[in-house]
Every structure is written in structure tokens, then in C-alpha cells.
Amino acid sequence: MLTTALILLPVAAALVIAILPLPRELTAGLAFLAALMEVGLWIVTAARFDFEEGGLQLGTTEEWVESLGISYSVGFYGFSLWLTGVAVVVSAAAIGYALWVGRDRPRAYHALMLFLTGAVVATFAAQDLLLFYVSFEAMLIPLYVLVGVWGGARRQAATLTFVVYTMAGSLLMLASVVAFGVTQDTFSLLDSGTSDNTWIFLGFAVAFAVKAPLFPFHGWLPLTYREAPPEVAAVLSAIVSKTAVYGFLVIVLAKFPEPVRDFTGLILVLAGAGLVYGSLLAFRAPDLRGIVAYSSLAQMGLIVLGLFALNDLGLDGAVLLSVAHALISATMFLLVGMVERRCGSGELEVLGGMARGRPVFATVLLVAGMVALAVPGSVTFAGEFLIMAGVYEEGWGYAAVVALGIVLAAMYVLRLISAVLHVRPGRAVHDEALDLRPGELALVLPLVACLIALSVWPALVSQSSFSGDRPARVISEGFR
Amino acid sequence: MIETPKVDWLALSPVLALLGASGIALLAAVLVPPWMRKTVSAVSVFAGFVVAAVFAGIVFDDTPQPEILLSESMARDQLGALAQLILAITGAAVVFAAWSERRRRHDAEYYSLLAAAGAGMMFFVQAENLMTLFLGLEWFSLCLYILVAIDTERATSLEAGLKYVIVGGFGSAVLLFGSALVFGATGELGFAQIAAAEAGDDAFLVTGLAMILAGLAFKVSAAPFHMWTPDVYQGAPTSVTAFMSAATKTAALVVTIRVLVTAFPDESQIWTIAVAVIACVSLAWGNLAALAQRDVKRILAFSSVSHAGFMLIAVAAASERGTEALLYYLVPYSAMSVGAFAVVAARERELDKPVTLEGLAGLGWERPFYGVALWIFMLGMAGFPLTGGFFGKLFVFSAAYEVGDWWLVLAGVAATALSLAYYLNIVRWLYMRSGAELRLAPAGGSPPRELALGVAVTAAIVVTVGSFFAAQPILDLASDAASSLPF
């Protein structure tokens, strides 16, 4: 019931907000309140969750379409609960940011954001392949409009590429869902067995590779992350991309052991290539959005390296890094948004010198940046180290690539920090550009606080993600 | 004392109810004073559709085993009853959607013909021999020919009517010729008797089968027999387009599966391939052509061609699961197309000119209700989740996959991907372009309050979304209906 409530609360709030003709501020405030309630509900859920026991918890199953074996089946594993937690926190911060900047047409905007939150939570909770597909697709409906209506100047081109890429992936997945469900005679992820059909596997793998995105399926990423409103970009890169991680875990790795074995080499190479390529592009990007966007590509490559190492270290590291990256990229995109609001541009060459007279902003950006570049002792370092140790078992070459990625991350994050904070004040940086306002601080501070807390205690996530802390066995047993 | 055949009046009651309503509406055209003609005829026709729906429901409930009536000419079974139920509800929604249409003359005649066309379709779906099949087809086609051309003061309406008469007449002739060949090969008219005749690979029989299939494909508007569809859909009064796109397709598809399965079970090797090919051609042609259109009614017309393709995939599966999928698909499809055309009709009246994509600019913000409605219908037609359109496609695909037609699944998936381009383009125009930017001049004054149309659109939304969440109950009905065919 709690799981269902967690899905329905934002959706119901979205409907109420869409229908009630309230004044602007009240609409946005109500949406923010609903998002905060969702965070509260998640805390209640986490309190009820027994991390020691592992396995599927807080599950509900209702028959939906019996004749095809489709059910409404939801529940949480340790790792999906963490992913959900970070999703509700990030979406609350994003909705708060939209409230702060006063987005136009607030009823439509906030209804869509809350609906998106509900769809993301449903994706993380889905234990039925069809329900998973439904929520996975449902995310696209609000995103299409959110980017297309509230985005930047080239928003229409951005939505088009985004939708073409993701729908191509999703429809391949639909074919795979049908084929898998019909051959298994059930769509339930809990009851179905494994499959050794390479084509079905590829349908899923490509869909998730597009969503993540993974090199070379990232064509939609630069334009979409640049043109979306910053808080929507935050939601996209922080939590929507993590649904692909969830899909890789519960569907690809758990249901297709043999094809995974055949394709591990290829996927690891692509993920490694994505890591290096994304890092290089982030280093060369001329604007803030570009850096954060391509670093997202790199980090997703890193996460996938960990997943497909298919051992305890790699999987734990992948989940930990997913949680950490969600918080970081959300923080970064929100900070980028705040810079763009002050300076009217995110081009690095017109920025600079913002540290002078803006101590709060400088501190927050520096702290977030330090976590992002995986300073030893940070949660990202813990995650990347686990992944590096995990892929080392697959071959030292992969570990070397991960190490290279970490070095490159330091380079592009430091470049971002120095380009914004240091050097001479840029053309677009005026004296009137204020330091972070209390409202803005209240949005990013919780995210940074979560990051610091996890840096202090990364085991909170990494040791409670899979039952008995044996992720590889949990996966090979298909979560049973 | 002349011996009369025993007539099962209950089985005929939906048809008779509508005929009665049609008659009342026609009398109203002469006897009732002009100012209340429209009200009287609309109310009586709406009542006719409701009564027909109730009777169809009773027949559905009351007919566990299929029965053959009236010297093997009519079937009383759950397949026919369910199709009649869908047709009746569609018709009732169209009465609401048509209420705001203003025409100088022929208000009562319009409603009378609508009821008569509905009656013809209901008769058609019960057909159990080639004679009743042809009679039903001509019955509703003649009514539709007039309905399409009923706005005699609009040249496009007349042009569409003429095109429809000529092409439709050709299609009927093909069907009739095919029936004659089948009769020649087997000496039988009844579907079950044709199957029992076991004519084997007789060339006449196979040619006849092909021609019957082609004749029905005209009515389904499956490519390459869809040539009339865009022109007629565009030119006809929009409420008539709504009715044709939903009801004609329902009736023709149900009859297609009935004829093929009951009359030609031995030839299923041949017709499954033929239907699969027609399905693929429809998917490709419908979607590609829709991409090139600017007029929204033409886009929806080509989209209906592609939907015919999807539903024919279910027919090509030639299984009980396939028939279930087809019947399920018809429910959200009918709702979506009536709803979409209703919104287009409202916009048409507001702008006082045909609705192109530019004409939709900003509609989503100016008229939030119509905007959201059209958005939902477009997502549903594209097969997005949270609408019945998604389950429709899913059931069709799984039926095809189950009988080993995985290539039809891939064709369907590719077509869906293609179709997104124009469905989402409509959404783009609704929300991402503003009317002011294009200096879209409204017809003047505030937009008319169209309560009746709102009711129809609301009902369509409820069915579109409801059929997603309540897929199982609808599927149960479909499965009962599918079991009345001899698989």
C-alpha cells in the first residue's frame, strides 16, 4: 500500500493542480508542498523497510489483465528504494526551483512535473514488465512538453531529437516486451524465468542504452540538456537516466544471463569508450550545460561498467554511484541555472570571477565540484573505486580506463570551477549579479548535505542495496 | 393459412430500434415545425441508439451459443452483439458531437440518415450469408453517400459525396462479383455452407475470396483500397467523418473476420497472407502519407488507414486471441477517432475554415479542455500507455507473435515509430506554437459554448483512458464474442 501511495501521491497532486484554478504562487506552492510530502512519504517507507532482510518488500500485486498474465505488481528492493529516494528528493528540489524562478503557466508546468515524478517512482517500483514499460513510456509524455514549451531557443529541435531517439529505443523494447511476455506466458518479473533469446535481449539493452544514455546512443543528449529548463535537465540527467540503471539490473542482467555473457565484452568496451569520450567532450565544451551534460554521459558509462562487471564490487559501486551522480548532476544543473539567470548566458568565455563577493555561491559550487570530481573521501570516490575494483576482475584494461576517467573528471570539473569562480570577471558577470539567495540556498543545500552525509557513510547505500550484501548472487538468482 | 418463418425479434431489435428512430426523425422533417425539428430528430435518434445499445446488451447476455436465424441468413451471436454495442455507443456519441453543427437545411434528414446508417451497420455485422452481407453493405453505404454530401451548399461536401459514391460503388461491385464467383464455385450462399462445400483449390472460389476481401477492404479503408478515404474524410461534414472513421471500420472489420473464418476456413493459408500483406501496405502507406499532410482531417484520415493496418494484423493472426485483440482495439479506437474529429469540428467552427496544422496553433493554451482532449487522443492513437490505444497495440502484437508472425510485430513497431512523427507534431502545434505568432484570426466573437460536444469529447476521453485501466473487463467481453467464431 505504501508503495502504491508513493506512486499515486504525485499523480493525484498533478491532477488536483491541473484542475484547480488557483493563483500562480499558490499553484507552485501547492506543487512544492506535494513534492515535499512525497519526500516525507519516502522517509516513512524507508523507515518501514527492513534493509537487513533484503529481497522484495512492501510489495503489492493486483491482477490487471489476467488472460495475458499482466499484473499491477510493485515493490522495492534495497537499491530501488535508494534510487526512488534520490528521485523524490531531486524532483522536490526541481519543483522548488521552478517555484523560485516562477515558471510561466504554472498549472500545466507543475502538473507535468508531478506526473513525471509519479512515473519515475512507478518505474523504480515496477515488478511487472508491462507496468515497467508503461511507466517508462509515461515519463516521456510530460518530458516532451516540459522541454518543448519551457525550454530554450532551440527547444523544438531538442524535443524532436529526444523523442525520436527515446521512442525508437522504447518501441524496440515494446517488441521485446511482447516477445518475452508471450513466450514466458506472464509479464511478471517475479514469476518469469530467464530467456536466452539474443534479439529480445538486444531490444531491452538498446532501449536502456538510449535512455541512460550510453555511447553511441547519446545523440539526443547535448541538445536536450542544453535546451531544457535547468530543473528539467536536472530531473532528466539525475533520475530519468537512472531508470535505465534499474532496467539493466532487474531486466537485462537478471533475465538474460546468457546473452549478457555473450555481450559483456562489447558493452564494457562501449561503456569505457563513452566514459573517455564523454569526459573529453566535457573538457572541451564551451558552456556550463555542455560540461554537465557530457559529464553525465561519462558517469553513466562508468555506472554501466560497474553493472556489467557483474560482480559484488561492481554492482555495489554502480548503485552507489547512481545515487551520488543523481544528487551531483541535480545540484550542478540547478547551480548552472542560477548562474544563467544571473548572467544571461552559460558560455564559459563570458563568465568568470564570480567568487569575489559571492562567498556562498562559491562555497556551494566548490563543494559540489569536489564531490563531482571524486576527491578521495567523497561518495563518488567510493563508488568509482568500487567500480574500478569490480572491473579489474574483468581485465586490468577496464580499470585503467576507469582511472583515466577519474583523472579526466578532475580536469573538467576544475575547468568549470575556475571558469566560473576565478579568473577576471567575465563580460556577462555584473556587479548586480547577487550571491545565492536564501531560497536558492535552501534548494541546493539539502542536496549537498545528502552528498556530504553519503560521503561520510557510503556504506549506508552500498551495504543495503542487495540482500545479504551479495549482489552478484542476488542477480544470478533472478532476485529470488 | 400461409406458414411464416419464425422470426427472432430480439435478435433484430437493435436494427429495428434504429429504423424506428430513423423513421421518426424523417417524419419530424415534415411534420414538426422548423424551430424544433432538430431537437425532436436528435432526441429520437439518440434514444434509438441507446435502445439499440440496450437490446444489443441483452442479446449479448442472452446468447451463450451462436444461433443461425431466418433460413441461414442472419447470425445471432455475441460477436455481432458486441459489435452492435460498440456501433450504438459510437452513434450516440456522434449525435452529441453533431449537435453544434449548423446547417441551413436537412437537420432532421441528417439525423434520420445517421440512424439508418447505424441500422444498416448493425444488420451488416449479423450477416451470415453473402446476400445479407451485400444488402447490409449497400444499406449503410447508401446512407453514408448522402450524409457525406448533405451540406449541399459546400462544394467540398458534394465533391466528397460524388467521390465516395463512385469509389464505394466500385468496391461494392467487386464484392458482389466475388460473391457471385463463390456462389458459382460452391452453389451456396450461407457462410457455413460455403465452408462445408469443401470446394478445395477451385480457382473461382479463390478469385471470389480475393474479390470479397478487396470489397471489404474498401470499407475498412485499408491500403491500397483507401483512395477515397482522405478526400471523403476531408470533405464530409466532420461529424459524419467521425462516424465513418469509427463505425464503418468497426462494422467492416467485424464482418471481415466473420466471413473469412466462417466461410473460408480451409483457405486460411491464402487469406492470412493476403490480409497480412494488406496490413503491411496500409501501415506503410497510411503513415507515410500522413506525414505529408497539412490538413488535420486528412492526417486523421491517413491515420485511420494505418489503424486499419494494425487491426488487420489481428485478423491475419486468424486466432481467437487475434479476434479478441481486434475487438478490444475497436473500443478505444472508436472513442479516439470520434473524440479527435469532434475537437477538430469545434475548431473548424471557431475559425470558420478547414483546420490545418497552423489552425491548431495555441489551441492547447486557449482551450485547455479541447487541447488536453486532443493530446490524449493523439497519444492514444500513437499507442502511448495510459490510453487504451496502448493495450490495443499490445494485444494485437501478442496475438501475432503467438501464431509466429514476428515480422508483423516488427512491421507494427516500425509503423508506430513512424506515426509518432505526425501525432506528436499535432501536439507540438497545440502547445508549442502560439496562435498570435501566426496571426490566426478567429471567426470573431467569443467561441460558442458547445456543451453537447463537450459531453461527447468527455465520453471519448473516459473510454480512451478507462479502457487502459479496465482492460480486463473489455477483454472478457471480447473473448466471449470471439468464442462465437469457429476457430
Side-chain angles (χ1 to χ4, degrees):
Chain A
M1 280 322 289
L2 214 47
T3 316
T4 307
L6 209 52
I7 298 170
L8 286 186
L9 173 70
V11 176
L15 282 181
V16 170
I17 285 173
I19 291 166
L20 279 189
L22 294 174
R24 294 176 67 91
E25 290 76 18
L26 217 54
T27 305
L30 192 63
F32 189 45
L33 187 69
L36 288 180
M37 279 167 63
E38 175 79 352
V39 176
L41 195 59
W42 179 80
I43 293 172
V44 173
T45 315
R48 295 268 186 87
F49 193 88
D50 184 357
F51 287 99
E52 301 290 311
E53 197 193 296
L56 188 76
Q57 291 182 34
L58 305 167
T60 317
T61 302
E62 298 283 342
E63 287 297 337
W64 188 2
V65 184
E66 275 167 73
S67 40
L68 279 173
I70 300 170
S71 56
Y72 168 80
S73 178
V74 291
F76 286 117
Y77 298 106
F79 66 91
S80 51
L81 188 67
W82 285 116
L83 291 174
T84 310
V86 77
V88 296
V89 169
V90 167
S91 82
I95 289 171
Y97 183 82
L99 162 71
W100 175 257
V101 303
R103 286 268 169 253
D104 244 4
R105 310 186 192 280
R107 271 165 71 192
Y109 180 89
H110 287 287
L112 290 169
M113 277 299 255
L114 285 168
F115 181 83
L116 176 63
T117 311
V120 170
V121 173
T123 314
F124 286 140
Q127 299 305 327
D128 182 280
L129 196 50
L130 204 93
L131 184 65
F132 175 82
Y133 181 80
V134 164
S135 1
F136 197 78
E137 283 296 274
M139 293 189 301
L140 201 58
I141 302 172
L143 277 173
Y144 177 70
V145 182
L146 282 171
V147 178
V149 173
W150 288 274
R154 294 170 62 208
R155 56 184 185 271
Q156 303 222 358
T159 37
L160 188 68
T161 40
F162 174 60
V163 167
V164 167
Y165 265 91
T166 38
M167 281 312 293
S170 299
L171 288 167
L172 285 178
M173 176 155 87
L174 178 61
S176 287
V177 167
V178 170
F180 185 81
V182 171
T183 37
Q184 296 278 336
D185 217 21
T186 174
F187 284 87
S188 167
L189 287 169
L190 304 171
D191 302 336
S192 57
T194 59
S195 161
D196 55 2
N197 188 318
T198 310
W199 292 109
I200 301 181
F201 159 79
L202 281 177
F204 285 113
V206 169
F208 299 143
V210 170
K211 200 72 161 194
L214 208 58
F215 177 82
F217 300 100
H218 64 283
W220 59 269
L221 172 132
L223 198 54
T224 311
Y225 283 10
R226 279 200 178 103
E227 296 304 323
E231 71 280 14
V232 175
V235 168
L236 257 172
S237 77
I239 58 182
V240 173
S241 66
K242 301 304 176 291
T243 57
V245 174
Y246 180 76
F248 274 127
L249 273 168
V250 299
I251 298 169
V252 171
L253 294 179
K255 298 295 175 193
F256 298 92
E258 285 173 36
V260 165
R261 216 169 299 140
D262 298 341
F263 281 85
T264 298
L266 177 68
I267 292 173
L268 285 178
V269 167
L270 286 180
L275 170 58
V276 176
Y277 179 64
S279 303
L280 288 175
L281 285 176
F283 186 64
R284 297 272 296 117
D287 57 340
L288 296 176
R289 294 272 190 115
I291 298 179
V292 186
Y294 284 117
S295 81
S296 221
L297 172 66
Q299 296 289 307
M300 289 312 293
L302 200 51
I303 291 169
V304 172
L305 273 173
L307 288 176
F308 280 81
L310 254 186
N311 50 37
D312 294 348
L313 291 169
L315 289 165
D316 272 338
V319 172
L320 183 58
L321 192 59
S322 298
V323 172
H325 173 251
L327 291 167
I328 290 168
S329 77
T331 315
M332 283 308 213
F333 267 118
L334 292 186
L335 286 171
V336 167
M338 292 166 192
V339 171
E340 286 175 350
R341 255 168 74 77
R342 284 168 171 75
C343 307
S345 165
E347 298 289 320
L348 293 180
E349 63 173 14
V350 300
L351 295 173
M354 288 188 79
R356 183 188 300 270
R358 302 177 190 87
V360 182
F361 172 72
T363 313
V364 172
L365 183 63
L366 199 65
V367 172
M370 284 303 131
V371 182
L373 65 76
V375 145
S378 67
V379 55
T380 27
F381 180 76
E384 291 178 11
F385 187 80
L386 282 171
I387 291 173
M388 184 153 57
V391 287
Y392 185 77
E393 292 176 24
E394 288 286 316
W396 63 268
Y398 298 122
V401 169
V402 173
L404 178 63
I406 297 177
V407 173
L408 288 171
M411 286 166 62
Y412 62 71
V413 174
L414 288 176
R415 175 167 172 260
L416 183 147
I417 290 176
S418 73
V420 176
L421 296 181
H422 307 142
V423 216
R424 289 176 283 104
R427 265 183 288 128
V429 183
H430 306 293
D431 288 344
E432 304 89 78
L434 294 169
D435 199 356
L436 286 196
R437 314 307 300 153
E440 292 171 315
L441 193 62
L443 293 174
V444 287
L445 208 55
L447 296 176
V448 176
C450 289
L451 280 171
I452 293 175
L454 284 176
S455 299
V456 174
W457 191 22
L460 174 67
V461 172
S462 67
Q463 291 199 342
S464 60
S465 296
F466 298 91
S467 59
D469 197 23
R470 309 287 303 164
R473 196 203 296 160
V474 170
I475 299 248
S476 65
E477 286 168 359
F479 289 95
R480 261 173 289 209
Chain B
M1 186 73 191
I2 304 165
E3 200 174 319
T4 51
K6 184 182 166 300
V7 177
D8 184 349
W9 292 106
L10 181 61
L12 294 175
S13 53
V15 180
L16 295 177
L18 275 174
L19 273 184
S22 172
I24 294 172
L26 202 56
L27 286 177
V30 214
L31 301 181
V32 174
W35 58 273
M36 59 184 296
R37 243 175 231 168
K38 188 175 173 185
T39 318
V40 170
S41 54
V43 167
S44 69
V45 168
F46 177 71
F49 276 116
V50 170
V51 172
V54 170
F55 277 126
I58 293 173
V59 173
F60 185 89
D61 211 39
D62 220 33
T63 318
Q65 287 300 320
E67 292 166 32
I68 306 294
L69 315 170
L70 299 171
S71 339
E72 280 99 34
S73 62
M74 302 273 290
R76 169 184 169 163
D77 58 7
Q78 292 184 312
L79 178 69
L82 182 62
Q84 288 174 336
L85 195 61
I86 299 174
L87 290 170
I89 295 171
T90 308
V94 169
V95 172
F96 271 93
W99 176 253
S100 322
E101 266 179 353
R102 289 179 297 267
R103 44 179 58 86
R104 252 174 273 154
R105 287 171 296 169
H106 309 311
D107 265 324
E109 288 88 341
Y110 170 88
Y111 286 107
S112 168
L113 283 165
L114 191 68
M121 288 172 185
M122 292 190 182
F123 181 82
F124 186 51
V125 295
Q126 281 190 303
E128 190 61 26
N129 78 18
L130 293 171
M131 193 67 86
T132 37
L133 176 84
F134 183 71
L135 275 178
L137 184 89
E138 282 302 282
W139 177 348
F140 78 76
S141 297
L142 284 172
C143 302
L144 288 178
Y145 297 148
I146 310 170
L147 274 175
V148 167
I150 200 159
D151 284 348
T152 43
E153 68 274 12
R154 277 198 308 126
T156 50
S157 178
L158 290 174
E159 180 194 329
L162 190 64
K163 278 180 181 159
Y164 194 25
V165 170
I166 294 170
V167 182
F170 181 67
S172 303
V174 171
L175 181 100
L176 191 60
F177 198 176
S179 306
L181 288 176
V182 170
F183 180 71
T186 59
E188 299 287 352
L189 280 176
F191 294 165
Q193 288 73 19
I194 293 172
E198 287 184 8
D201 282 344
D202 188 284
F204 276 135
L205 184 76
V206 174
T207 318
L209 166 62
M211 293 179 88
I212 291 176
L213 192 57
L216 289 170
F218 272 104
K219 292 295 159 195
V220 177
S221 54
F225 309 103
H226 69 287
M227 298 309 185
W228 57 275
T229 313
D231 291 342
V232 174
Y233 278 23
Q234 185 187 16
T238 308
S239 60
V240 177
T241 313
F243 185 67
M244 284 167 64
S245 70
T248 312
K249 214 171 278 278
T250 304
L253 278 161
V254 167
V255 169
T256 306
I257 186 99
R258 186 199 284 282
V259 174
L260 291 175
V261 172
T262 38
F264 303 101
D266 297 333
E267 286 77 22
S268 69
Q269 302 290 356
I270 303 170
W271 61 255
T272 44
I273 294 175
V275 171
V277 169
I278 296 178
C280 288
V281 175
S282 306
L283 288 175
W285 203 321
N287 285 315
L288 286 174
L291 287 175
Q293 305 304 319
R294 307 295 299 170
D295 187 290
V296 177
K297 277 165 87 177
R298 281 183 86 86
I299 294 179
L300 291 174
F302 279 111
S303 130
S304 95
V305 174
S306 92
H307 280 287
F310 281 113
M311 291 189 260
L312 285 172
I313 291 181
V315 176
S319 65
E320 209 161 320
R321 184 58 72 76
T323 313
E324 268 172 55
L326 167 69
L327 291 168
Y328 176 87
Y329 200 120
L330 286 169
V331 174
Y333 170 73
S334 303
M336 291 181 301
S337 40
V338 171
F341 279 114
V343 174
V344 171
R347 187 65 170 174
E348 225 167 29
R349 280 192 288 280
E350 195 185 331
L351 299 179
D352 203 18
K353 61 179 181 196
V355 180
T356 54
L357 282 173
E358 287 80 6
L360 288 178
L363 176 72
W365 302 116
E366 292 161 22
R367 313 263 172 272
F369 173 66
Y370 291 151
V372 169
L374 194 56
W375 185 17
I376 292 175
F377 300 139
M378 287 306 110
L379 291 180
M381 287 188 176
F384 263 85
L386 306 182
T387 65
F390 168 69
F391 268 138
K393 286 201 169 113
L394 183 89
F395 295 153
V396 166
F397 292 161
S398 42
Y401 190 80
E402 220 169 40
V403 296
D405 287 345
W406 57 268
W407 56 280
L408 279 176
V409 178
L410 285 187
V413 165
T416 309
L418 208 56
S419 72
L420 282 168
Y422 58 90
Y423 291 130
L424 290 180
N425 194 24
I426 290 183
V427 178
R428 194 170 69 90
W429 277 100
L430 283 178
Y431 288 99
M432 297 170 205
R433 295 298 193 88
S434 75
E437 172 192 335
L438 292 154
R439 291 207 204 91
L440 208 63
S446 63
R449 301 185 78 82
E450 301 183 341
L451 191 64
L453 188 110
V455 171
V457 173
T458 310
I461 293 177
V462 168
V463 174
T464 308
V465 177
S467 59
F468 175 77
F469 290 102
Q472 186 63 47
I474 299 175
L475 208 58
D476 284 339
L477 296 180
S479 136
D480 286 345
S483 65
S484 48
L485 286 182
F487 282 108

